[in-house]
Amino acid sequence: MNKKKIINDPVYGFITIPSELIFDLIEHPYFQRLRYIKQLGMTHLVYPGALHTRFHHALGAMHLMSLTIETLCNKGHDITPEEEEAVTIAILLHDIGHGPFSHALEQTIVEGISHEDISSVLMDRLNEQFDGRLIMAIDVFNGTYHKKFLHQLVSSQLDMDRMDYLTRDSFFTGVSEGVISFDRIIKMLNVKDDHVVVEEKGIYSIEKFLVARRLMYWQVYLHKTVIAGELMLGKILERSRELALEGEDLFATPALKYFLTNSITINAFVNSNNDLDTFASLDDTDIMSAIKVWATHDDFILSSLCKNLITRNLYHVEISNVAPTADVINTLVERAIEQYGITEDEASYFVFTDSITNKAYKVGDGNIRILMKDGSVQDITTASDNSNLEALAKTVKKYVLCCIKGVL
């Protein structure tokens, strides 16, 4: 069988699958599952084109990694064919542990464990199935491989993950503010003292990259209607799990029912083949099929939330720089109790608060290094003459007030 395939990607054009091992990993059910998990959760409720998947994103990040390794090799850096394959596998599999609707349900289905942790566990499982051929890739992914710069290409503030999702998400949402010069940035990458650096002449492309990331967060990822949809989805899963644990027999696929009716600890999840295999069969379709059925359930709260999500009658969301007062929240809670005949505890599904943060750049946290013409290395915030970058390094926190539209 010919495994040297090419894929026609709408963002980059033709993508080449570089090796037989990588082809086999893409063919594996763990990876094929990513076809059925949307990259941007509920963002399509605002930007109808945002229906691309984690599968698209992983292949795109793999492609950018291939371009980057080619650039670094052309600049004289020693990267063996085995290391090239390992770092390519590491970026290909970096999101394999995502649950349904990507970030929207993280911590809801399996509490206390991140998608990065699940990715790591799934990679260990794949390593067993592929007779230890992923050991170097896992070391690169975990940052334990002796060439640290390879890990930085997989996970840092200027990695192939971020470079692809900004490029891809702006393409599919149509938000031009997120467009970055990924090709120029890659051409400007270099390695100095085992760290990824950007040559000084690429500094303006990096500035644009950081500004684009900040704008994409406010305009896309943290758009108030996206937040409303994702919080409603989270509340639906919270209510269904509450009912299931009380003994209610809810419709659900076998995989979803397993996680609704069991409280699973981190250790149990990591050490249980059954937990992991069940999670690896979950995707967006499990959730949406259940929501469509739950819309006619006898439980008023569950059915109301499901109907509202299906018809896009989402929460009213107010985002501000100051937290809503207790008086405002109590007034809304009282209205919900009176209007719907529910208890104060149940009102938390209709009125609640949350918070969001946006920080485009973290100084000192895998920071972006600029290789100056004199050979010195500086952080982007000091190398740049753009005073706005200092502002990008500050965390902006905003407060969210959510309530069902009927209580306004």
Side-chain angles (χ1 to χ4, degrees):
M1 179 181 178
N2 176 23
K3 296 183 179 181
K4 295 287 283 186
K5 303 290 186 182
I6 58 172
I7 297 167
N8 195 349
D9 180 69
V11 178
Y12 306 122
F14 290 113
I15 290 176
T16 301
I17 297 177
S19 74
E20 292 193 1
L21 175 57
I22 290 173
F23 175 87
D24 289 338
L25 287 168
I26 291 172
E27 289 284 281
H28 193 280
Y30 287 175
F31 192 83
Q32 288 293 314
R33 161 183 168 271
L34 299 182
R35 289 181 182 273
Y36 311 106
I37 296 178
K38 281 192 282 295
Q39 169 80 1
L40 292 182
M42 307 303 287
T43 306
H44 65 283
L45 295 175
V46 180
Y47 300 101
L51 293 168
H52 55 301
T53 66
R54 289 278 156 188
F55 185 85
H56 291 129
H57 165 57
L59 292 178
M62 177 194 75
H63 173 67
L64 294 185
M65 184 66 79
S66 296
L67 297 180
T68 300
I69 297 301
E70 181 183 4
T71 294
L72 295 180
C73 287
N74 288 340
K75 293 182 180 180
H77 297 290
D78 180 27
I79 302 172
T80 67
E82 293 77 18
E83 289 169 339
E84 179 177 357
E85 184 176 64
V87 74
T88 303
I89 290 171
I91 194 66
L92 179 74
L93 302 180
H94 77 283
D95 273 348
I96 201 168
H98 261 295
F101 290 96
S102 294
H103 293 285
L105 294 180
E106 195 166 355
Q107 303 292 326
T108 303
I109 292 176
V110 182
E111 296 178 26
I113 184 167
S114 68
H115 74 269
E116 291 93 349
D117 295 329
I118 300 174
S119 292
S120 184
V121 175
L122 287 172
M123 287 174 71
D124 288 336
R125 177 70 65 81
L126 285 170
N127 187 47
E128 294 172 9
Q129 295 178 15
F130 283 84
D131 300 321
R133 297 167 70 192
L134 273 61
I135 290 175
M136 189 185 293
I138 291 170
D139 287 340
V140 170
F141 180 81
N142 292 331
T144 55
Y145 191 68
H146 67 276
K147 292 184 180 179
K148 300 299 182 186
F149 76 89
L150 293 176
H151 172 72
Q152 292 169 10
L153 295 175
V154 176
S155 180
S156 68
Q157 294 195 80
L158 189 64
D159 56 30
M160 300 307 112
D161 173 27
R162 293 186 183 192
M163 225 173 294
D164 180 78
Y165 77 60
L166 286 175
T167 303
R168 190 168 300 277
D169 295 349
S170 62
F171 178 90
F172 281 98
T173 58
V175 176
S176 59
E177 287 81 0
V179 175
I180 62 169
S181 304
F182 71 88
D183 45 357
R184 176 162 173 77
I185 292 174
I186 287 174
K187 291 297 183 186
M188 294 299 106
L189 292 180
N190 211 325
V191 176
K192 170 105 176 189
D193 298 329
D194 202 24
H195 287 290
V196 174
V197 295
V198 182
E199 294 166 5
E200 186 178 355
K201 55 190 174 183
I203 195 168
Y204 300 118
S205 297
I206 300 301
E207 289 179 5
K208 188 174 186 299
F209 167 83
L210 292 174
V211 171
R213 188 165 182 266
R214 177 182 178 274
L215 294 177
M216 284 292 283
Y217 266 85
W218 288 132
Q219 201 162 333
V220 178
Y221 310 131
L222 298 177
H223 188 290
K224 71 174 189 175
T225 308
V226 174
I227 290 171
E230 295 191 344
L231 288 175
M232 184 168 280
L233 181 63
K235 286 292 184 181
I236 288 171
L237 264 291
E238 185 182 327
R239 182 60 174 178
S240 64
R241 196 155 188 273
E242 182 181 343
L243 294 173
L245 291 175
E246 290 174 355
E248 183 77 28
D249 186 21
L250 291 174
F251 168 86
T253 62
L256 178 57
K257 180 163 285 191
Y258 182 81
F259 287 103
L260 289 179
T261 55
N262 291 282
S263 295
I264 300 164
T265 64
I266 299 175
N267 290 336
F269 183 83
V270 169
N271 296 315
S272 167
N273 289 342
N274 186 50
D275 289 355
L276 198 61
D277 287 338
T278 306
F279 179 86
S281 67
L282 266 180
D283 57 44
D284 291 5
T285 56
D286 294 80
I287 306 299
M288 283 311 300
S289 62
I291 288 173
K292 290 170 71 175
V293 175
W294 294 342
T296 58
H297 194 272
D298 292 339
D299 182 75
F300 171 74
I301 295 171
L302 182 61
S303 61
S304 296
L305 294 178
C306 290
K307 286 173 189 172
N308 287 346
L309 185 66
I310 291 169
T311 59
R312 199 185 176 276
N313 183 25
L314 307 174
Y315 289 123
H316 172 79
V317 170
E318 291 182 3
I319 300 176
S320 62
N321 295 322
V322 293
T325 64
D327 287 343
V328 169
I329 297 168
N330 290 337
T331 299
L332 292 171
V333 168
E334 287 170 6
R335 286 183 192 170
I337 292 171
E338 182 180 351
Q339 183 159 337
Y340 298 111
I342 55 179
T343 67
E344 187 173 345
D345 285 343
E346 291 172 336
S348 66
Y349 287 101
F350 289 168
V351 179
F352 57 93
T353 60
D354 208 327
S355 64
I356 55 175
T357 57
N358 186 359
K359 188 172 186 176
Y361 182 65
K362 298 178 184 177
V363 178
D365 179 23
N367 56 318
I368 299 175
R369 298 170 171 85
I370 305 298
L371 178 63
M372 309 303 287
K373 290 175 183 174
D374 63 5
S376 64
V377 176
Q378 296 184 29
D379 184 271
I380 179 65
T381 53
T382 56
S384 170
D385 57 7
N386 187 346
S387 59
N388 290 334
L389 291 189
E390 293 184 8
L392 294 180
K394 295 178 180 177
T395 300
V396 178
K397 182 175 183 178
K398 295 196 175 184
Y399 299 89
V400 179
L401 173 63
C402 276
C403 64
I404 207 82
K405 289 178 180 175
V407 303
L408 287 176

